[in-house]
């Protein structure tokens, strides 16, 4: 049985109850927070949960603000679960630092697939064997160093806080260094879902977030280069 901790953040007690029962039946330890303020306080108090399931529309501090505040100190995977389904809503969720997005009403099977996938990636990469440390350290630029083992990136010696999804994208680029990575291949490998044209906006937002963290000037990218009409490439 799993002992991973999941923090469910939703102002609707019925949603919290449904998720607690569903996730508890899969062996997860579920904690609840009925508003954004309590969710942020819980993460800051530690230890960090292994996953957050976060509603967007909540009174007071909404889910987007919660996500942004959590990202200041934690790389915990964040799955947005919300009734907001427009493309701009997804863009806002990913821009704030979210890892994945699921629209209410949701399929229980799809929810569990996303939960298990996010936790598995986060857990596996954080326990990567130490003996691979040297061969999994790469220099992307004179001031940017990536360590695959610890899933960490440092710029001028200072650690950069990437979300799990941002790191997965960066790692995929690194695995195909020098090659042009097309949106379809990137999306299906990193997200594990069938690529649809609308997913292009999701990729664009995540790549832009990466550039903001890695580059001096996102308009003159030196690390992640856009190959117009084809995809992206790092040298």
């Amino acid at each position: 049985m799993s002992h991973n901790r999941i923090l469910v953040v939703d102002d609707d007690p019925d949603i919290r109850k449904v998720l607690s029962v569903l996730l508890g039946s899969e062996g997860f330890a579920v904690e609840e927070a009925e508003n954004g303020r309590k969710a942020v306080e819980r993460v800051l108090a530690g230890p960090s949960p292994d996953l957050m399931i976060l509603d967007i529309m909540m009174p007071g501090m909404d889910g987007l603000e919660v996500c942004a505040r959590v990202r200041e100190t934690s790389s915990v995977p964040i799955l947005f679960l919300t009734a907001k389904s427009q493309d701009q809503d997804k863009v806002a969720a990913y821009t704030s630092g979210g890892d994945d997005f699921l629209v209410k009403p949701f399929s229980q099977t799809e929810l569990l697939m996303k939960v298990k996938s996010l936790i598995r990636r986060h857990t596996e990469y954080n326990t990567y064997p130490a003996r691979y440390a040297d061969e999994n350290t790469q220099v992307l630029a004179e001031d940017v160093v990536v360590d695959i083992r610890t899933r960490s990136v440092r710029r001028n010696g200072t650690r950069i806080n990437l979300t799990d999804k941002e790191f997965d994208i960066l790692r995929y680029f690194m695995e195909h260094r020098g090659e042009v990575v097309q949106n379809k291949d990137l999306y299906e490998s990193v997200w594990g879902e069938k690529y649809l044209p609308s997913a292009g906006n999701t990729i664009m937002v995540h790549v832009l977030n990466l550039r903001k963290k890695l580059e001096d000037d996102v308009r003159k990218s030196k690390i992640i280069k856009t190959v117009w009409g084809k995809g992206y490439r790092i040298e």
Side-chain angles (χ1 to χ4, degrees):
M1 293 289 283
S2 168
H3 296 290
N4 294 111
R5 300 182 305 275
I6 298 178
L7 177 62
V8 175
V9 188
D10 200 303
D11 62 313
D12 186 336
D14 291 332
I15 292 292
R16 297 199 307 272
K17 182 176 180 179
V18 167
L19 290 175
S20 293
V21 172
L22 175 62
L23 296 169
S25 69
E26 293 291 318
F28 295 106
V30 182
E31 301 177 49
E32 299 181 19
E34 64 267 31
N35 58 53
R37 178 183 57 79
K38 289 189 176 181
V40 173
E41 290 176 350
R42 163 62 184 84
V43 174
L44 291 177
S48 177
D50 298 294
L51 175 72
M52 285 183 65
I53 298 179
L54 181 59
D55 186 26
I56 290 182
M57 295 185 294
M58 295 185 293
M61 186 187 301
D62 67 18
L64 299 178
E65 185 177 354
V66 171
C67 185
R69 291 198 181 187
V70 167
R71 281 289 171 256
E72 294 175 0
T73 59
S74 174
S75 61
V76 56
I78 295 177
L79 170 61
F80 277 105
L81 186 63
T82 176
K84 298 170 74 68
S85 60
Q86 299 300 311
D87 283 346
Q88 59 265 32
D89 300 319
K90 296 180 181 180
V91 169
Y94 291 133
T95 300
S96 69
D99 291 284
D100 212 337
F101 191 100
L102 189 59
V103 177
K104 301 175 183 175
F106 56 88
S107 157
Q108 293 186 1
T109 300
E110 185 177 8
L111 172 70
L112 289 174
M113 286 176 58
K114 287 181 178 291
V115 164
K116 292 177 181 179
S117 176
L118 287 168
I119 289 179
R120 182 177 63 253
R121 288 202 300 266
H122 186 69
T123 302
E124 287 179 353
Y125 294 145
N126 281 334
T127 56
Y128 204 91
R131 65 180 181 273
Y132 296 123
D134 292 339
E135 65 189 67
N136 284 280
T137 299
Q138 294 190 33
V139 178
L140 294 186
E142 61 181 18
D143 59 346
V144 178
V145 178
V146 182
D147 188 335
I148 297 295
R149 178 183 63 86
T150 60
R151 288 177 64 82
S152 63
V153 180
R154 293 187 178 276
R155 184 179 181 191
N156 291 321
T158 300
R159 182 160 180 161
I160 300 172
N161 189 19
L162 299 186
T163 68
D164 271 4
K165 193 70 71 179
E166 289 167 355
F167 193 92
D168 289 343
I169 293 170
L170 180 60
R171 189 182 63 143
Y172 189 83
F173 285 150
M174 291 167 59
E175 290 173 349
H176 297 82
R177 199 164 187 166
E179 304 174 21
V180 176
V181 174
Q182 297 182 352
N183 279 354
K184 180 178 184 297
D185 295 331
L186 177 63
Y187 189 81
E188 293 185 352
S189 295
V190 173
W191 275 263
E193 301 173 1
K194 182 177 176 58
Y195 177 78
L196 298 174
S198 59
N201 286 335
T202 297
I203 293 172
M204 180 180 65
V205 170
H206 279 82
V207 172
L208 178 59
N209 287 344
L210 266 175
R211 282 175 166 157
K212 288 178 178 178
K213 295 177 180 181
L214 300 177
E215 309 273 5
D216 291 322
D217 186 347
V218 296
R219 297 167 299 179
K220 300 177 181 178
S221 179
K222 296 179 180 179
I223 297 175
I224 304 174
K225 298 183 181 296
T226 299
V227 182
W228 294 109
K230 295 183 178 180
Y232 303 96
R233 182 183 69 238
I234 65 171
E235 301 296 342

